[in-house]
Amino acid sequence: LGRMKIRLAAGGTTAQEIEYFQALCLSKLANKTDAERIWTRLARDPLSYYGQRAAEKLGEKTVRDTPPVCSPARDTALQGIEADLDGLRHPVRSALDPASNAVSELVFLRLWDEAALWTERPGNRLNAREAAEIAYRAGRFYRSIAYANRLTKAEASRPALFHPAGYRNIVCDMARMYKVDPLWLHAIIWQESRYNPNARSGAAARGLMQLIPQTARALQTASGVSELPLDKLYDPAVNIQLGAQLWSSLIERLKYPEMALAAYNGGLDNVERWKNKSANASDDLELFVADIGFVETKRYVMAVFGAYAAYESLVN
């Protein structure tokens, strides 16, 4: 594949994937120097799936027992954003400034919800970074992501605007309850809904973790949710609890995040079929990911791994 001029398609074999397997072959042929040269190059992209796998091959990626996203209790990203927003507050005035506008007055009063709503109106004078920070402070994380995506790398001084740890207390509580890594919950929420609690897909998946009603009702009894009308799936507390329960069950059954993510997106039955193609396939994660049968699911697994790495870098 490395010698061929193949036409790469989204979700299909990628140039990084080809390079990774070239290095894997070289390593198995005892050509460790050339293999490590390729892995070193791939590891320069730490947010890509194969960049992370390459870092593991080089012994650079460490595994922590307790991700610090749930401690300290204070959101350090929020502290920095609040400090930025203090710079937008005008001094106390004895008379209204004719050049003032609604957003600046709401920022002065620290009415963040109202200020975030007014930034959506045409004619406001805020730049994308300021609008993103106000949306973050108001808890409208999906809007902070949307505004942050308009920034250049030089302007993006707050990485948390792109990957906010939204609904942090709920995520941490559910991670403790179901004994899962909270960073995976954040990464799944980011990929599924970009933290929009009202998100709904064409397949009727609802809420932050995009649960379909059939799956949610199957989880309902064990989670202790007495009633589950469909609009409850838009409640962050209910949605994250059910999503964390589902993620915990998939990790417990499949052991590996790659397989659990593939099941979350593509279904457990399909994962069982993909991983049992050969006698030792269940333990060969490289071949499993490369050979995922659905293009969308393969892209999903790699995207969530990228989001996880981004969240991991924010708490290191």
Side-chain angles (χ1 to χ4, degrees):
L1 286 173
R3 294 190 185 98
M4 295 170 62
K5 293 182 178 180
I6 63 172
R7 184 176 180 180
L8 303 178
T13 302
T14 66
Q16 278 191 332
E17 190 173 18
I18 292 170
E19 284 193 275
Y20 180 84
F21 278 100
Q22 283 177 324
L24 196 63
C25 292
L26 289 167
S27 177
K28 290 180 182 294
L29 292 169
N31 192 343
K32 189 175 180 180
T33 300
D34 286 346
E36 289 184 348
R37 185 179 298 114
I38 295 173
W39 281 329
T40 299
R41 184 165 64 249
L42 291 174
R44 292 173 189 154
D45 184 2
L47 299 189
S48 71
Y49 176 73
Y50 285 107
Q52 293 174 62
R53 294 308 302 259
E56 289 174 4
K57 292 293 185 184
L58 295 168
E60 296 175 359
K61 192 169 177 62
T62 58
V63 178
R64 295 188 314 275
D65 292 330
T66 307
V69 69
C70 293
S71 59
R74 185 88 168 112
D75 184 346
T76 53
L78 182 59
Q79 287 178 302
I81 287 168
E82 286 178 338
D84 290 346
L85 292 174
D86 278 342
L88 296 180
R89 299 183 76 235
H90 62 69
V92 176
R93 295 190 296 238
S94 58
L96 181 65
D97 182 350
S100 181
N101 60 59
V103 174
S104 67
E105 296 306 317
L106 292 167
V107 167
F108 173 78
L109 295 169
R110 290 190 168 91
L111 297 175
W112 304 115
D113 291 342
E114 293 82 352
L117 290 172
W118 274 85
T119 59
E120 305 288 333
R121 298 196 174 195
N124 79 74
R125 304 170 193 171
L126 297 175
N127 59 42
R129 183 184 61 79
E130 293 166 344
E133 290 186 338
I134 289 173
Y136 187 106
R137 182 61 184 81
R140 292 166 59 84
F141 303 108
Y142 64 101
R143 294 304 300 157
S144 78
I145 294 170
Y147 282 120
N149 284 333
R150 302 178 190 177
L151 301 174
T152 65
K153 287 186 178 180
E155 295 171 324
S157 58
R158 300 285 180 191
L161 297 175
F162 295 92
H163 292 90
Y167 306 97
R168 186 169 175 266
N169 291 337
I170 300 173
V171 168
C172 290
D173 288 345
M174 293 304 106
R176 282 189 288 266
M177 178 182 292
Y178 292 103
K179 297 179 174 59
V180 294
D181 180 347
L183 295 184
W184 283 119
L185 299 183
H186 281 298
I188 292 169
I189 292 170
W190 186 90
Q191 180 60 27
E192 291 285 357
S193 66
R194 296 298 194 272
Y195 287 91
N196 183 354
N198 299 314
R200 179 173 176 174
S201 76
R206 291 167 165 83
L208 291 168
M209 298 189 73
Q210 288 292 276
L211 300 171
I212 62 173
Q214 181 181 0
T215 300
R217 284 175 177 141
L219 296 164
Q220 172 187 355
T221 303
S223 69
V225 178
S226 56
E227 296 181 7
L228 194 67
L230 292 184
D231 61 350
K232 274 281 192 180
L233 293 179
Y234 297 114
D235 181 339
V238 173
N239 193 284
I240 294 172
Q241 180 177 355
L242 294 174
Q245 182 189 356
L246 174 59
W247 176 246
S248 175
S249 68
L250 292 174
I251 281 288
E252 183 178 1
R253 178 165 180 169
L254 298 169
K255 310 302 180 190
Y256 304 106
E258 288 91 336
M259 293 183 182
L261 288 170
Y264 196 101
N265 178 265
L268 185 57
D269 290 344
N270 287 316
V271 170
E272 295 288 354
R273 178 166 52 85
W274 296 332
K275 78 185 184 73
N276 292 323
K277 285 182 179 180
S278 62
N280 66 339
S282 61
D283 292 322
D284 196 334
L285 290 175
E286 283 107 347
L287 290 179
F288 174 82
V289 173
D291 206 26
I292 288 175
F294 297 158
V295 167
E296 177 190 340
T297 300
K298 183 176 178 179
R299 293 173 65 184
Y300 177 87
V301 170
M302 293 183 174
V304 177
F305 261 82
Y308 182 94
Y311 279 106
E312 194 175 35
S313 68
L314 287 174
V315 297
N316 276 340

